[in-house]
Amino acid sequence: MQRNYLTIKQFLESEFPSLQDHISGGNHPPPQFAILMMKALSYIHLLAIAFTFMGDKIWSYIPFVKTQPGWYLTAKQYPMQSFVVLFFIVPTFVQSFVTTGAFEIMLDGKILFSKIQTGRFPNGPELIEIFEKAGLAH
């Protein structure tokens, strides 16, 4: 995504010299629930590593737990599948919420182009037309 931004920035600055050093960009912030999911997943990963090294003994350190939970026994019965789901599939799913795919071009607070609305990146002639309509000469 950063490469796309830099390419468009360089193109716009070459076509519209008045924009030189006036173009900025950044990542669109992910939704709050996605940030919380990523943090929770980090803690789950740490717990999984602790379970791996401490084994069944870890349950004796947790108050009010008399026996091993069913999900733990199932995960222990299928260790490779559990590892793949926990460390590959779930993080990929969570990451899909963090990456917004947003790419917007704004001038004076007005959105001139939005990848979220169009579902694609702008091309060169389209960018020139957008900025000419906005009153910039090249």
Side-chain angles (χ1 to χ4, degrees), residues 63-84:
F64 309 110
V65 177
K66 304 272 189 241
T67 61
Q68 300 167 348
W71 61 266
Y72 174 74
L73 295 173
T74 302
K76 197 171 146 184
Q77 186 178 3
Y78 302 101
M80 193 60 179
Q81 294 90 333
S82 300
F83 177 82
V84 168

Side-chain angles (χ1 to χ4, degrees), residues 9-114:
K9 179 181 189 261
Q10 290 169 350
F11 173 77
L12 289 173
E13 288 177 341
S14 69
E15 291 293 322
F16 300 95
S18 62
L19 293 177
Q20 189 75 31
D21 298 326
H22 294 347
I23 297 176
S24 63
N27 292 326
H28 194 274
Q32 189 63 31
F33 80 91
I35 294 170
L36 293 174
M37 285 175 58
M38 288 296 286
K39 287 181 182 180
L41 185 59
S42 295
Y43 289 119
I44 291 170
H45 283 163
L46 289 173
L47 286 173
I49 292 168
F51 282 123
T52 301
F53 286 107
M54 294 187 73
D56 297 339
K57 187 176 180 178
I58 197 167
W59 296 109
S60 64
Y61 296 116
I62 301 174
F64 309 110
V65 177
K66 304 272 189 241
T67 61
Q68 300 167 348
W71 61 266
Y72 174 74
L73 295 173
T74 302
K76 197 171 146 184
Q77 186 178 3
Y78 302 101
M80 193 60 179
Q81 294 90 333
S82 300
F83 177 82
V84 168
V85 168
L86 184 61
F87 286 94
F88 292 108
I89 295 175
V90 172
T92 302
F93 176 72
V94 172
Q95 184 65 32
S96 70
F97 290 109
V98 174
T99 307
T100 62
F103 185 87
E104 295 181 328
I105 299 174
M106 299 174 70
L107 180 65
D108 297 329
K110 181 182 174 194
I111 295 176
L112 301 179
F113 183 88
S114 172

